[in-house]
């Protein structure tokens, strides 16, 4: 009985050995297709995992929906060495494609294939890159079993990557700029990682890096939306993760920066995933007087502190005080409601240059203070309060200047004269002047001017005291 028990395991071992020694056929010639193209019975879908650098070794799992692939660049003539080693007795197969000629890898034929190397189940490929370009390495399991493997990329030579020439690189790669103090300082072409490539912010999404959420010590990374499922962690609901009750993600959101998806500081008011706001708020919805929605808007937004929360919006105030008015608008200037007037700042010159004002309430009563101001209606008011009570903004302090001259030949009051600007040429061509009081006294300084009556006066004041405007500086000729 003891011998029989000992022999049975030996027979089993021999049987297993026979299976392992069974010859395999050469690895099948495969075609791959990109994610946007349907696979068929001959081709298998390419699942790009990212890029692999020269001298790098990475651990990965076999794809269950296609073939896992990585990108790398190589200079023409560089000696490339690739190794794939399956874990737990898995049988790896290596395929190398390239250089890339267009935007897709679909239907390309492999330039190198290897299954078993050096009498093992591992794969090994050595080749010289036929030209500068972007290359693809694909790893599969011979029997399409699930599991993991290690992939490494090596290279011999002074430099294995293609050099940027005038900022140009082969298809599928981009120039990785270097800045050095001393020359020479070449820049090299690096593969464009499709997992983070983007054109706009819409192309980018945030995926957790672990099975712990942000609220429980987890982190997020930004990837292209097409690869969100591939990078999402596989979490077993029956296994309790060692998470911590601390928020670590920070106020960040995915964005497209220099054609790469990155996590950037989130702007207040930006949309958040609803799960980050927790259970929906039970606060009621309010219909505001202006027709907008207040209270619980049902939107998950980021606040000023960068925290995601359900938006609680206050209804806008119905008090028009401070509301913009006047100014230039295609639909016409905005008016203030009854009981209000449009007030302008002193530098806004009553909105004559299309500057807007603000709605202010008209005073019900004013003190009897004699501080005359000139209103924007061109009339003099007793003080600023009286002008506001009449619904008029103040143009300037002091009384309004009365126009004179012009085509109507407007005159001035007693003890006043019509003062013309020098460029008005004493009212020629019906130009207007301004009524001013005749000076009652003048200094004796001698700064001759020529009056509009053709006479020379010792200074401007003496001309005005004679009721004459100045035509030009200096004596009359």
């Amino acid at each position: 009985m003891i011998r029989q028990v000992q022999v049975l395991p030996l027979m089993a071992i021999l049987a297993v050995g026979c299976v392992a020694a069974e010859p395999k056929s050469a690895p099948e010639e495969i075609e791959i297709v990109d994610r946007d193209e349907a696979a068929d019975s001959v081709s298998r879908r390419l699942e790009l995992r990212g890029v692999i650098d020269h001298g790098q070794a990475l651990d990965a799992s076999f794809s269950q929906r296609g073939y896992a692939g990585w990108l790398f660049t190589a200079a023409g003539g560089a000696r490339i060495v690739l190794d794939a080693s399956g874990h737990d007795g898995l049988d790896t197969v290596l395929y190398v494609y390239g250089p890339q000629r267009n935007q897709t890898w679909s239907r390309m034929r492999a330039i190198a294939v290897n299954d078993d190397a050096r009498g093992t189940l591992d794969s090994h490929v050595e080749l010289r890159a036929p030209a500068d370009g972007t290359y693809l390495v694909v790893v599969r399991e011979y029997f399409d079993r699930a599991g993991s493997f290690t992939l490494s990329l090596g290279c011999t030579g002074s430099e294995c990557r293609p050099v940027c020439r005038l900022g140009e690189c082969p298809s599928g790669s981009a120039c990785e700029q270097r800045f050095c103090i001393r020359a020479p300082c070449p820049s090299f072409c690096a593969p464009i990682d499709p997992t983070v490539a983007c054109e706009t912010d819409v192309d980018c999404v945030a995926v957790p890096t672990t099975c712990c959420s942000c609220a429980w010590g987890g982190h997020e990374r930004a990837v292209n939306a097409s690869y969100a499922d591939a990078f999402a962690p596989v979490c077993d609901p029956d296994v309790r993760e060692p998470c911590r009750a601390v928020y670590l993600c920070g106020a960040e959101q995915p964005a497209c920066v220099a054609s790469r998806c990155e996590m950037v500081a989130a702007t207040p008011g930006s949309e958040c995933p609803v799960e980050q706001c927790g259970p929906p708020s039970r606060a009621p919805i309010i219909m505001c007087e202006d027709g907008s929605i207040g209270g619980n808007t049902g939107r998950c937004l980021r606040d000023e502190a960068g925290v995601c929360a359900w938006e609680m919006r206050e209804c806008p105030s119905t008090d028009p005080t401070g509301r913009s008015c006047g100014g230039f608008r295609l639909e016409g200037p905005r008016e203030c409601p009854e009981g209000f007037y449009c007030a302008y700042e002193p530098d806004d010159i009553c909105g004559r240059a299309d500057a807007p004002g603000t709605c202010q309430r008209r005073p019900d009563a004013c003190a009897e203070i004699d501080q005359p101001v000139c209103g924007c209606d061109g009339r003099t008011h007793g003080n600023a309060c009286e002008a506001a009570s009449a619904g008029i903004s103040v143009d300037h302090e002091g009384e309004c200047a009365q126009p004179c001259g012009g085509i109507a030949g407007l005159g001035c009051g007693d003890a006043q004269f019509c003062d013309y600007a020098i460029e008005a040429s004493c009212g020629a061509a019906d130009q207007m002047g301004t009524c001013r009081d005749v000076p009652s006294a003048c200094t004796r300084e001698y700064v001759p001017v020529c009056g509009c009556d053709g006479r020379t006066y010792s200074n401007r004041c003496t001309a005005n005291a004679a009721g004459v405007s100045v035509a030009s500086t200096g004596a009359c000729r």
Side-chain angles (χ1 to χ4, degrees):
M1 291 295 294
I2 293 177
R3 287 184 179 179
Q4 290 178 353
V5 171
Q6 292 176 338
V7 169
L8 285 174
L10 178 61
M11 293 176 63
I13 292 173
L14 292 174
V16 172
C18 292
V19 172
E22 184 177 342
K24 298 188 305 181
S25 60
E28 61 179 349
E29 193 72 23
I30 63 170
E31 287 185 347
I32 53 177
V33 294
D34 278 348
R35 304 174 74 90
D36 56 351
E37 189 175 343
D40 52 34
S41 58
V42 177
S43 61
R44 292 292 295 270
R45 188 176 302 282
L46 171 63
E47 188 177 300
L48 279 174
R49 300 284 182 85
V51 301
I52 182 170
D53 296 326
H54 295 280
Q56 180 184 3
L58 54 83
D59 292 325
S61 59
F62 293 105
S63 171
Q64 299 302 298
R65 294 168 291 184
Y67 294 142
W70 286 262
L71 300 174
F72 65 93
T73 56
R79 182 170 172 270
I80 305 299
V81 180
L82 287 156
D83 286 283
S85 175
H87 301 166
D88 301 323
L90 294 178
D91 191 351
T92 60
V93 184
L94 268 176
Y95 299 83
V96 182
Y97 300 81
Q100 187 174 355
R101 299 302 183 190
N102 47 48
Q103 298 300 316
T104 176
W105 290 98
S106 290
R107 313 303 174 183
M108 288 194 68
R109 309 294 294 183
I111 61 174
V113 181
N114 180 259
D115 179 14
D116 298 335
R118 307 185 185 97
T120 68
L121 298 179
D122 298 338
S123 302
H124 175 83
V125 167
E126 292 187 22
L127 60 89
R128 289 198 176 275
D132 287 2
T134 304
Y135 292 82
L136 168 68
V137 54
V138 172
V139 185
R140 57 166 288 219
E141 211 281 332
Y142 185 89
F143 298 103
D144 291 331
R145 293 173 295 186
S148 58
F149 60 91
T150 298
L151 173 67
S152 64
L153 170 63
C155 178
T156 59
S158 58
E159 181 52 58
C160 300
R161 298 167 296 174
V163 178
C164 299
R165 291 178 172 84
L166 300 177
E168 297 294 329
C169 283
S171 179
S173 62
C175 197
E176 198 173 66
Q177 295 289 345
R178 284 186 175 183
F179 300 95
C180 306
I181 299 177
R182 296 180 180 179
C185 184
S187 295
F188 300 97
C189 296
I192 299 174
D193 188 349
T195 64
V196 293
C198 61
E199 294 182 359
T200 65
D201 291 348
V202 179
D203 299 331
C204 304
V205 296
V207 296
T209 57
T210 67
C211 292
C212 298
S213 65
C214 289
W216 291 89
H219 292 274
E220 291 179 330
R221 61 171 295 185
V223 300
N224 184 285
S226 301
Y227 293 87
D229 293 339
F231 282 91
V234 179
C235 306
D236 188 345
D238 297 329
V239 177
R240 186 173 181 178
E241 296 290 336
C243 304
R244 296 177 296 164
V246 55
Y247 194 90
L248 293 181
C249 291
E252 293 183 325
Q253 63 185 18
C256 187
V257 181
S259 300
R260 281 182 61 89
C261 291
E262 295 182 4
M263 299 298 292
V264 300
T267 54
S270 58
E271 295 279 352
C272 292
V274 293
E275 57 270 13
Q276 293 192 17
C277 284
S281 173
R282 295 185 178 181
I285 298 175
I286 302 173
M287 292 302 298
C288 303
E289 294 185 12
D290 64 349
S292 62
I293 296 178
N296 177 20
T297 64
R299 301 173 64 199
C300 180
L301 302 180
R302 202 175 300 275
D303 61 18
E304 295 291 338
V307 179
C308 294
W310 295 106
E311 181 188 30
M312 299 300 296
R313 179 176 178 268
E314 295 184 2
C315 288
S317 173
T318 56
D319 184 1
T321 301
R323 183 186 301 170
S324 177
C325 57
F328 175 77
R329 295 167 59 89
L330 292 177
E331 61 273 23
R334 180 178 293 172
E335 303 291 339
C336 294
E338 185 178 354
F340 291 79
Y341 75 103
C342 195
Y344 294 93
E345 295 295 327
D347 294 338
D348 292 340
I349 55 174
C350 296
R352 288 190 287 271
D354 294 329
T358 57
C359 292
Q360 301 296 330
R361 189 178 298 276
R362 292 189 183 187
D364 295 327
C366 296
E368 294 184 2
I369 301 174
D370 185 21
Q371 292 179 344
V373 295
C374 181
C376 289
D377 57 356
R379 299 176 58 187
T380 299
H381 299 266
N383 53 51
C385 180
E386 291 182 6
S389 182
I392 305 298
S393 186
V394 173
D395 190 352
H396 60 80
E397 295 181 353
E399 296 182 357
C400 297
Q402 180 181 342
C404 56
I407 191 172
L410 300 175
C412 298
D414 294 340
Q416 288 186 322
F417 73 102
C418 193
D419 188 21
Y420 294 97
I422 291 179
E423 56 268 20
S425 302
C426 298
D430 297 327
Q431 297 197 63
M432 302 288 289
T434 303
C435 290
R436 301 194 187 281
D437 294 333
V438 173
S440 57
C442 295
T443 63
R444 292 184 178 182
E445 60 181 339
Y446 185 72
V447 185
V449 296
C450 181
C452 287
D453 58 357
R455 297 175 59 185
T456 298
Y457 294 86
S458 60
N459 55 48
R460 178 183 292 274
C461 182
T462 56
N464 296 160
V468 178
S469 185
V470 172
S472 64
T473 58
C476 297
R477 297 179 181 178

